[in-house]
Structure formats: C-alpha cells, structure tokens
Amino acid sequence: MEFILEINTEEMPSSHIKSGLSQLEDKLKEALRSSSISFSRINSYGTCRRLVVVGNFAPEQKDRVEDIIGPPKIAAFDEDGIPKAAAVGFANKHGLSVEKLVVLKTERGEYVGARKITKGVPTEDILKESLPKIIASLSFPKMMRWGENPLRFSRPIQNVLCIFGENPISFRVGEVASSDFTTGHKIFSPKKIRPKNFSEYRKALAEHHVVVEQDKRKHMILKQIEKKLLSLGAQIYPDEELLDKLSFDVESPHVILGQFPEEYLKLPLEVLSTAMKEGQNLFSVVKGKKQLPYFIGVADVPKDSKTLIQTGNQRVLKARLEDAKFFWAQDLKIKLLKRAEELDRVIYQEKLGSYEDKTQRLKKIVVYLAHKLEAKGEKKSVAEAAELCKADLLTEMVREFPTLQGQVGGLYAREEGYLANVWKAIYEHYQPLSMDDAVPSSFNGAILSIGDKLDSIVGAIGIGMEVSGSKDPFGLRRNAQGICKIILEKKIDLAFSRLVDKVIAVYGEVFEKDKEDIKKRCLEFFRGRLQHIFESQGFRYDLVNAAISPGIDNIYYTYLRLKALDSLKESAHFEPMILIAKRVNNILRNQPQIYKINSELFFEKEERELYTTFTIIRDNTINMIAEGDFTKAQRMLFRIRSSINTFFDHVMVMADDKRLKRNRLALLQAISKLLNEIADYSQIVVSDQS
Amino acid sequence: MSIQNLIMNLQKFWAAQGCYLAQSYDLEVGAGTMTPDTFFRVLDKRPWKVAYVQPSRRPTDGRFGLNPHRVQKHFQYQVIMKPSPSNIQDLYLKSLTSLGISLHDHDLRFDEDNWESPTIGAWGVGWQVLLDGLEITQFTYFQQAGGIDTFPVPVEITYGLERLEMFLEGKDNLYDLNWSDDVTYRDLRFVEESEFSEYNFNQADVKLLKKSFDMNIREGQKMIDKDLLLPAYDICLKCSHLFNLLDSRGAISVTERVKMISQIRILVNQIAEQYTSREETA
C-alpha cells in the first residue's frame, strides 16, 4: 500500500533538507525492517518547506512464527504414535491440543514442539508508533525550538500530512497533529489540498505552484537559464553550490535575467561575483571568459509579468556594486606596502603579537621553505608576497566582503604592477578553505599558504590553546588539513618536523612552554588530522595507522606508504608477511636494549642465511625508500619472509650463550627497524590472526 | 507615502495583534533587540507582545552622509511575540500586505540567516527576509539571551524602516525619502550623519572612551552585586556603545575586541541569571 509523509515546515536551509531526507529514509527503512514489514520503492523529495517520503509498504507485519521446544519425541510418543503424559502436559501448558504439536529436528535429536503463530500487526499501528519518534529524532546542523513546543527541529513544523493506503494516519509530533492535507505555495496558492495518493499529491501541488521534485526544479532552472541567455550567446558562471541551494529554496522556479550598468565591469570578476552571490544569490553571466553586465536570479514565483522582480533586483545590485566600486577606488589610493606598515596596529592574538609580527615570522618561514624545496630563485618573490599578504585586512573591500580576503590583496598587488609570482601567491594564500577547495595553483602560493597556516597552528599550540570536540576557535583543524592537502596534492617532499622546529625557532622567546613539548603536540595534532583525511578518503583504518605510526616526518611519504600498503593488501604475500613481522616484534617486545650485529658470531646456517638476505634486501630498499617507492620496497621485503621462517624453525633465539642470544636479537632488531621504515605492521589487522 | 505613514501602519497592525506599543528606549543601542523591552522580557516565562520603533546606532556604518544607503543611525521597527504564534509568518506577510505591498507581484524569500549577538550572549535561528533581493526584515526565533535558554520561545521581527520605505517609494537614495509629506530624511538627518561620522571616525577621544568603558564595567558589576539589574543593564548598553565607538576609531585590536566583548557578556550573563532566579523564587 502506498505511504506518503510530508513534513511541512517554515523555510529550511538547503543543507538541512538533504540531510533530513536521507535520515528520514534511513530511519523509516530501519523501523520497517525491525518490525518485519516488507516494503519497496522508498523515494524522498524536498523543498525548503517540505520533507516528503513516499513508499510502498505491506499492509501488515509478517506473521511471527515461534517454535517452543518441548520433550524429546521418544519421551512424548510411544512406538505407535500414541501421546504419552509428557506430550499431553506440554500441549496443555501451551493451550494446544496434542494433534497440533509438531516434530522439530534439533542438533540433539527430534523433539516435540509447539508452533505459535502471532498474527502480524497492521502496518498502520506500527507507523503510528514509530513516526513521531522518527520525526523527533532527525538531527540538523543547527536545531531550534519554537513556541512552547518541546521538540527541536530545523525550523518550525507547520503541518504533517500522512497517508497510508489512501487513508490518513493520525499521530502527534510535539504540538502538531498529523493531518490529511497539505497546502500549496505559501504566497501564490496557500490552499488546502487533500490528496489520496502520491500521483494526486504531486499533480495537485503542481497546480498550486509547487514542483515537489528537486531534480525537476533544478532542470527547470537550467532550462530557463539557457533560454534566457540564448540570444546573448552567454552562460552563467557555473556555481554548483548556488544552483543546489536555489533549487531547494524555491518551489516555483522562475528565472530572472537582469542587467547592471557597464561601468561596473571595471571591477574584478571576483568582486562582481561575490557582490552578486552574497546577499542576493545571483549568478554571474559570462561569454567565454568575458563577464557580461547581466545577472541571473531565481525567484520563487510563477511569473514576473510586471518585471518588478527584475527591476527590484537590479536596483539592489546596483547599490552593492556602487559600494564595491567606491571601495576599489578608495583602496587603490593607498599602496599595499604602506598599508602593511599599519599592521602593527592590528593584533593577531594577544600573546602572539600583531599582524606585523606575523608578517615578519612568515617572511622567515617562507624563505626557509623556498630554500628547502630547492627554489632559491623564488626566495625574494615569496618574501615580498609574505610582506604584503596581510595588508588587505586593512582595506574597505575586505571589510565589506570578508570572504574575499587574500584575493583582494592579490588583485590590488596586480594593479600595482607586481609580477605573478608575488600577486598570485597573495591571492591564493588562504587556499584551500576546505577539503573540497582547490589548493594554490602557484608554487609561491602553496608555500605562503603552508607557512601562514603552520604559523597559526604552532602559535596556538605554543601558547597552550586546546582543540577538542567542537572547540576550535582559530580553525586549527581546517588549517592543518589545508597544509596536508597542499603537501599531498603538490607532492611536496619535505622534512616536516624540521619545518615545525623552524617555526618554533622563529617564534623565539614568545613561548614559555618547553619547545620539545610544543613540537610533540604539533606533530601529534597533525597526525590526528592526517588520520582523519586518510580515513575519509576511504583507506582502511589499520593501514592508515600502520602508515602513520612510523612517523609523519615527511607527510607526502606517509601517504606513499599508505598507498603502497593499500595496493598490496590483496597480495598473497601480504598477510603472511604481517604475521611474521608481528612475530618478530613479539620477540623483541621485552628487549629494551639495542644490540649490535657481529657477523662473525652467526654460526647456524639459517641465521647466516637470514643475515645475508637481510643485508641484500636492506641495501636494495634504501634507495627505494629514499625515492618514496614504497610499493617496490614492500615487494622486495616480502622476500625476507621465508628466511625469517626458516630462521625461527631452526634457530633458538634465546640461546643460553648470551653472546649468541644478543647477536640474534640484534639481527631481529635490525630487521624490525627496516620493516618499520615501510610500515608499522603491528597495527594491521589480519583476518586469520589467532 | 512616508516613513511616518509606514510607522503608523505598522503600529496599527501590530497593536491589532495584541502588541503593547512601547516607546523608543532612551539610550544608544546597536539594535532594537538590546533594549530592556526585549532583553528582559524574553528571559522570563510570561507571555509578552511588544512593538516599537528603535533608533539604532552603528558608528562604523557612518559614511558622512555621502552614501545613499548606509548610515550610522537607522530606525528599526521591532516586534516581539512570546510564545511565537504558529501563524507568525502569515501575520508577517499580512503586515506587508497592510503596507500596500502586493506579494503576488514580487519575490518574497525567507533566506537562512541566523542571528547572534555575542555581547549580550544571545542567538537565534531564522532568516533575512528578501523582497526582490532587498533585505527588509530580520526574522528570528530567539533561542538564548544572556546565555540562558529562552522558553517559551519568543519570535523577533525587525523591519529595517529605511529599506522598506525605499522599496515603497521606489527610491535609490535614502536621503530622498519622505519622513512626512513635507519633511525629507535629508532635512532631518543629513547634518547629523555627517557630524556624527566625523565624531565616530576621527574625533572621539580614545583615552576617554577606554577609561569610561573600564569605569562602567566596574560600575556595572557593583550594581549587579546590589541586585539593581535594570541600572546594571543600562550600564552594559553604555559599555556596548563605547565599544562600538572605539571600534569605529580603529582603536581595538582583534584580541582586545574579544576581551571587551567578553567583559560585557560576563555582566549581561550575570544579570540574566539573577533576573531569572528572581522569577523562580517569586
């Protein structure tokens, strides 16, 4: 039978809608499964005012069959099948006649039993029970209360429509009682609609200016945009995020094409598009790479016959662009270098000094990075970029559009005639803003970004700031992940712990805490972030631990280690290798002292052989490891396994002769050390491990 | 069409919904939310309906009277209803219709915008209301004030009067708006804007402001200790305005900002706590 649930709310943010729908689907399925109600075809739809789930459910629960085991068959019936007292007693106890007893085959033999069949409860009853709980359990990024309702939700719930098999199901959610109606578009057709099934529901809503399917709305928007821009031969500047938001924000999509005076085209694209997007949710219009003096908006109306919506939006946009133009002209009157001198007035953090202090640190850090990354030619340009990169914090434009920080500085630097290796670095140095954002495209941008973020992280940790749970006031997690992302994508081969040392040294006497401790905490923090990144990329957690555990001195290499483990995890050699590595580690576990190998002391054939194999493999892998070819190194290592096995089979490690024992331990320690350069195998979970 | 007509219409409309029409508060505030008619009344458990015009000062928004839509003092029309009625969005739409706006000819949107005022430890969930892309109202379900959960939950509707009037008169410059039939916004406010911008940005004595801020913080704590909560709250409002002035003088660093805001918030939170505990003991 068909089921429809519509939660009608005041306007929800688009991110809430998507998450709400998927939770609703999952929770409903879960409830049906746990109540043994079969179902097919569950779909969900949403607008900013509705969360809708539609499905096909069985009218009632499956009957529940329960077997109660009674006496053994031999004890219950005689040879002729006549029931004995035990059978009669058992049947009476369960309110059955003896004939109804069944024979059940168990592992212990045949038993007499009672089969109880509980008739399934109507699905409606189950839904009545579970829907209020399901709805109340939905969680959203930001929850709210309203009125005197005990419930928390994304936005206030106005109505709940619930139909099963053409009949309404009644229950309560907080103070709202479920009903058999929904309403059309809030402004254009706020009439009650009483649908019997989904096809009626969809049709009636469409007549009342609500397109309930998000994909259809998105499609309509794109089609209308195409049509509007056809004669201009133009396109919107693609913005998936905005398109996605708008296709949830409107129930009745109507695309508006508007214009602004050409004089504003002198503003950079970034400023124009930000002014359009933020506040007014407008798309920029481009022809090829050229911005046109038009915008596209999406209204929640059937039509704009008096063009009031178009002219209204034009007027508002013009005012915003006028502001931006004013800021642009004003800002350019003061050179960035001059502004940078004022940064000593702007405190970055009480204990960490002003932005001027940060700038000075940053210069040292990026020069170090340029040096380490063998880009000596860029030392001067990147230092210059560092000098200027925070100056835009003092501009009107950034004050007005804070999301443009960095970009604005870069644009002003370009206007002032700085070369790309300077202005682009400034422009990109906040990137990536999230794990989905692009990393800086330029080399200088990348190192400026790494330097800036690491300076923030080391500074915060250095003065004892804690990041825990939801507490992360300086966005340190985002910064650390940004650094990792840059290093991984740009394949930056860098001694990371030395870089941390450098940053701590640059801070000089600012920190009261022990410097070794600060370094340890920083690396620990990065280790956690790296783990998070790798796991969210879908790598197995134990492989992640095995790759990270040997250290994150070189973040890019840690990643290569993980890739190697991941690519070899299906290999036939993989698990046996891990088992043998674990065996080696187990023997060494209680041996804190490190011994030295004396090759003359090997006297069993097998230990000599192992030593020889080991030295060959070690010499071969050294270069592979240095070059980051961990897959090859790992494959090479697989070859040591049989020698270790033979060694364990024939050689007594804990020999009575102390010299022999120590020498054997020394060999195993050397092997373990080599293994550890590739991965910490003890972290890996093996399926047939006993 | 004039601002005073707009005000009269709103007064009439919200009075009909049972709101008490309060008079503007006589201290500098950044928003209608900050006045005692909102701040204290959202904290207690009793129903409350109020509407009022509140001049609101934001010194950093000053533009010497030269910007057509930005001023250091503007007028808000503030409505509080507690508990929030379930048809509050409808009432709001009706209020717009009562101003002569034909909603069928326009695009009215409730666009996610959660409001927060760290200074008074308050936050809420809601929207900015956009009319053909113009933000005319802030619509908020108050979740916390003075660090205390508000329940029953109040709803706050804040109309930007200048914005709304610009929409109604179809004008691009707020100084061209009519306050009454023969007095314009320019007549009333231009000189004020230009003089106050000069004061806010260039003349206000930073040392004096800082000293007053510190003295007021101490005075506020004293009044709290004496359980004189209304005077203590007024003092917090003064601190908040002093802070805003210092900000527009460019005299506050990022950290100082955090520190000063938290100094005020600590006082406000104590006031809220003491105020609500009065109700519990009563």
Side-chain angles (χ1 to χ4, degrees), chain B residues 150-162:
Chain B
T150 47
F151 199 84
V153 179
V155 63
E156 174 190 70
I157 297 176
T158 306
Y159 301 80
L161 288 175
E162 287 89 342

Side-chain angles (χ1 to χ4, degrees), chain A residues 394-502:
Chain A
L394 294 167
T395 62
E396 291 292 327
M397 193 69 87
V398 170
R399 217 181 160 124
E400 178 71 12
F401 302 112
T403 55
L404 285 176
Q405 64 178 359
Q407 295 188 19
V408 161
L411 293 169
Y412 287 150
R414 189 176 64 183
E415 288 292 307
E416 287 182 28
Y418 287 97
L419 294 178
N421 55 2
V422 174
W423 74 257
K424 219 165 184 174
I426 299 172
Y427 185 100
E428 299 180 323
H429 87 279
Y430 287 98
Q431 283 172 232
L433 291 170
S434 70
M435 286 313 278
D436 301 322
D437 192 22
V439 302
S441 65
S442 66
F443 174 78
N444 278 357
I447 59 179
L448 190 55
S449 175
I450 292 176
D452 182 30
K453 293 178 170 63
L454 192 60
D455 174 79
S456 304
I457 294 167
V458 170
I461 291 177
I463 56 168
M465 255 185 219
E466 297 280 343
V467 177
S468 65
S470 59
K471 259 201 188 148
D472 184 8
F474 273 65
L476 298 186
R477 284 199 194 103
R478 184 168 45 78
N479 278 328
Q481 281 165 210
I483 292 177
C484 293
K485 189 171 154 101
I486 296 173
I487 289 178
L488 298 180
E489 286 187 22
K490 295 252 160 193
K491 305 188 171 149
I492 293 176
D493 173 3
L494 174 76
F496 189 67
S497 57
R498 295 239 192 90
L499 174 62
V500 174
D501 278 334
K502 174 71 186 174

Side-chain angles (χ1 to χ4, degrees), chain A residues 345-346 394 399, chain B residues 60 200-202 206 209-210 243-253 256-257:
Chain A
R345 284 197 304 119
V346 189
L394 294 167
R399 217 181 160 124
Chain B
T60 50
N200 298 339
F201 288 123
N202 302 324
V206 170
L209 293 172
K210 281 197 166 157
F243 168 85
N244 289 341
L245 282 174
L246 280 164
D247 191 24
S248 71
R249 288 288 280 119
I252 305 177
S253 66
E256 272 180 312
R257 167 185 300 277

Side-chain angles (χ1 to χ4, degrees), chain A residues 201-443:
Chain A
Y201 170 85
R202 187 166 54 178
K203 195 159 155 265
L205 278 182
E207 282 162 13
H208 292 276
H209 305 297
V210 177
V211 177
V212 81
E213 305 99 316
Q214 53 271 36
D215 296 342
K216 192 168 170 193
R217 289 193 306 273
K218 194 184 243 181
H219 183 74
M220 286 168 76
I221 293 172
L222 287 172
K223 273 272 163 245
Q224 289 185 43
I225 291 177
E226 206 184 301
K227 214 172 136 199
K228 291 266 181 199
L229 294 178
L230 196 63
S231 61
L232 287 171
Q235 298 84 35
I236 50 165
Y237 186 74
D239 188 337
E240 267 307 313
E241 194 191 358
L242 182 58
L243 178 63
D244 213 48
K245 171 179 155 57
L246 287 169
S247 46
F248 278 112
D249 277 359
V250 299
E251 296 199 314
S252 176
H254 181 79
V255 169
I256 307 286
L257 173 66
Q259 256 181 302
F260 57 83
E262 287 208 24
E263 57 177 301
Y264 299 114
L265 284 178
K266 285 184 200 137
L267 285 168
L269 213 79
E270 294 82 351
V271 173
L272 275 173
S273 60
T274 305
M276 290 187 216
K277 180 179 177 173
E278 287 178 11
Q280 266 178 283
N281 301 318
L282 303 174
F283 289 100
S284 311
V285 174
V286 292
K287 188 169 188 169
K289 283 191 166 172
K290 207 173 138 245
Q291 171 103 26
L292 301 183
Y294 292 92
F295 63 84
I296 284 285
V298 181
D300 189 16
V301 299
K303 56 187 187 304
D304 181 23
S305 42
K306 298 183 187 165
T307 66
L308 293 174
I309 302 173
Q310 181 203 354
T311 49
N313 272 288
Q314 285 179 176
R315 179 181 297 142
V316 178
L317 180 61
K318 189 180 160 222
R320 292 172 68 88
L321 294 180
E322 184 60 33
D323 268 359
K325 193 181 114 188
F326 176 76
F327 297 146
W328 179 258
Q330 285 299 108
D331 285 346
L332 279 173
K333 284 182 186 161
I334 300 173
K335 294 265 183 288
L336 282 177
L337 198 58
K338 181 103 185 98
R339 276 189 204 278
E341 287 166 15
E342 303 278 301
L343 286 171
D344 60 344
R345 284 197 304 119
V346 189
I347 297 285
Y348 166 62
Q349 205 282 338
E350 198 172 15
K351 292 182 186 153
L352 302 177
S354 67
Y355 271 99
E356 161 71 8
D357 297 323
K358 188 176 176 72
T359 301
Q360 293 310 323
R361 290 194 300 269
L362 205 41
K363 276 166 75 176
K364 291 181 192 152
I365 298 168
V366 293
V367 167
Y368 170 89
L369 272 166
H371 178 74
K372 286 292 161 194
L373 297 175
E374 287 159 19
K376 293 192 179 104
E378 293 295 353
K379 273 188 190 175
K380 197 165 157 278
S381 61
V382 77
E384 201 165 23
E387 176 96 57
L388 301 173
C389 72
K390 298 298 174 191
D392 70 353
L393 294 176
L394 294 167
T395 62
E396 291 292 327
M397 193 69 87
V398 170
R399 217 181 160 124
E400 178 71 12
F401 302 112
T403 55
L404 285 176
Q405 64 178 359
Q407 295 188 19
V408 161
L411 293 169
Y412 287 150
R414 189 176 64 183
E415 288 292 307
E416 287 182 28
Y418 287 97
L419 294 178
N421 55 2
V422 174
W423 74 257
K424 219 165 184 174
I426 299 172
Y427 185 100
E428 299 180 323
H429 87 279
Y430 287 98
Q431 283 172 232
L433 291 170
S434 70
M435 286 313 278
D436 301 322
D437 192 22
V439 302
S441 65
S442 66
F443 174 78

Side-chain angles (χ1 to χ4, degrees), chain A residues 104-123:
Chain A
L104 301 168
K105 282 188 179 132
T106 76
E107 281 174 8
R108 287 173 296 145
E110 288 187 322
Y111 279 73
V112 162
R115 172 156 293 174
K116 277 202 164 173
I117 298 176
T118 319
K119 190 86 185 99
V121 173
T123 301

Side-chain angles (χ1 to χ4, degrees), chain A residues 514-656:
Chain A
D514 173 45
K515 292 188 175 160
E516 272 309 305
D517 182 55
I518 296 173
K519 178 181 173 185
K520 217 180 100 210
R521 282 155 168 272
C522 285
L523 292 177
E524 199 51 49
F525 181 62
F526 270 92
R527 189 185 295 253
R529 288 300 92 201
L530 211 49
Q531 197 160 3
H532 171 79
I533 293 173
F534 289 153
E535 283 179 22
S536 58
Q537 286 175 349
F539 289 105
R540 240 167 67 185
Y541 78 95
D542 57 329
L543 299 185
V544 171
N545 288 339
I548 287 182
S549 169
I552 54 164
D553 263 5
N554 185 326
I555 289 178
Y556 181 56
Y557 274 26
T558 302
Y559 174 66
L560 293 179
R561 260 191 223 125
L562 175 60
K563 289 273 282 184
L565 288 173
D566 190 61
S567 71
L568 294 173
K569 67 174 190 275
E570 307 297 343
S571 149
H573 298 293
F574 191 66
E575 295 208 343
M577 183 68 217
I578 286 157
L579 292 174
I580 204 80
K582 286 187 185 223
R583 197 163 163 197
V584 171
N585 284 335
N586 283 342
I587 289 186
L588 297 176
R589 189 173 295 151
N590 299 315
Q591 299 295 336
Q593 203 179 331
I594 303 294
Y595 301 108
K596 263 190 88 142
I597 297 176
N598 177 353
S599 60
E600 282 164 24
L601 279 175
F602 292 126
F603 81 49
E604 300 280 358
K605 181 174 124 246
E606 291 80 5
E607 59 182 325
R608 241 189 336 270
E609 245 179 49
L610 177 59
Y611 178 63
T612 315
T613 319
F614 162 68
T615 48
I616 294 170
I617 290 178
R618 184 192 56 198
D619 296 346
N620 270 298
T621 46
I622 282 176
N623 279 335
M624 298 173 189
I625 293 172
E627 281 159 20
D629 193 343
F630 290 96
T631 313
K632 217 162 157 194
Q634 178 103 62
R635 282 226 175 85
M636 176 67 77
L637 258 195
F638 285 162
R639 301 193 193 163
I640 205 172
R641 181 170 60 93
S642 64
S643 305
I644 302 180
N645 260 334
T646 328
F647 170 83
F648 277 140
D649 287 349
H650 295 94
V651 180
M652 177 77 175
V653 179
M654 299 301 180
D656 292 337

Side-chain angles (χ1 to χ4, degrees), chain A residues 10-11 147 186 306 315 347, chain B residues 89 105 127 141 172 253 255:
Chain A
E10 294 176 5
E11 288 72 4
K186 182 169 189 163
K306 298 183 187 165
R315 179 181 297 142
I347 297 285
Chain B
Q89 279 197 336
D105 294 331
W127 311 272
Y141 289 92
D172 291 336
S253 66
T255 353

